[in-house]
Amino acid sequence: MSAKSKEQLDEQVEQVEELPDRREVYLREGRTLTVEPSGRDELVEIRSSSGQVELRIKLTEDGPVLQMESVRLQLKASEAVEIESRRVEIRAGEALELSSGNEVKVEGEGEVRVNGKMIFLN
């Protein structure tokens, strides 16, 4: 991501509104960036022109919590994408596809379950 000069940022920001404990910046395309306290936490949000949350970062004592709502989400890394968590869930309304140009490994210290109407194995 390239760094922008102060002049470029000033051109993008149309107006800044400061309320007690809340700061709001009006961006192009009708989006707003808001920073405000939320109880003991702090909330950073980007909303669309219709008011829908597109990006929310809640800064908590335990660390940041990131929430995104969008039409599409893309992650691209030249080396690796790593997810480490106590639990990971992926839900797809239509299809879930995993593919690799090389090897695919599935490992589990407990039971490994594959449930489906029809299961095809090579």
Side-chain angles (χ1 to χ4, degrees):
M1 199 183 291
S2 63
K4 295 185 178 184
S5 69
K6 183 180 181 322
E7 294 79 25
Q8 288 172 314
L9 290 173
D10 288 343
E11 290 173 14
Q12 289 183 347
V13 177
E14 295 175 6
Q15 181 181 0
V16 175
E17 181 181 312
E18 288 195 38
L19 301 172
D21 297 333
R22 176 186 170 136
R23 283 161 280 171
E24 194 167 65
V25 178
Y26 295 89
L27 306 171
R28 287 187 183 173
E29 309 299 326
R31 286 187 173 92
T32 58
L33 175 116
T34 306
V35 179
E36 64 183 324
S38 175
R40 294 178 5 158
D41 303 327
E42 195 162 29
L43 195 61
V44 178
E45 289 182 333
I46 296 178
R47 292 182 175 265
S48 69
S49 58
S50 66
Q52 181 180 358
V53 174
E54 292 182 340
L55 174 65
R56 174 181 285 143
I57 304 170
K58 191 170 192 176
L59 304 170
T60 71
E61 288 181 6
D62 296 329
V65 177
L66 176 65
Q67 176 187 350
M68 293 178 65
E69 295 183 25
S70 64
V71 174
R72 210 163 85 204
L73 174 63
Q74 294 180 317
L75 299 174
K76 185 176 184 178
S78 61
E79 292 298 320
V81 174
E82 297 179 16
I83 300 173
E84 184 174 329
S85 177
R86 195 170 56 94
R87 191 179 94 234
V88 175
E89 289 185 34
I90 300 173
R91 287 184 220 116
E94 291 183 17
L96 175 63
E97 183 176 326
L98 299 173
S99 63
S100 172
N102 200 347
E103 185 177 45
V104 176
K105 293 181 180 181
V106 177
E107 296 179 24
E109 291 185 17
E111 296 178 0
V112 176
R113 299 174 189 263
V114 178
N115 299 316
K117 182 178 179 181
M118 180 70 71
I119 298 173
F120 297 92
L121 296 175
N122 195 19

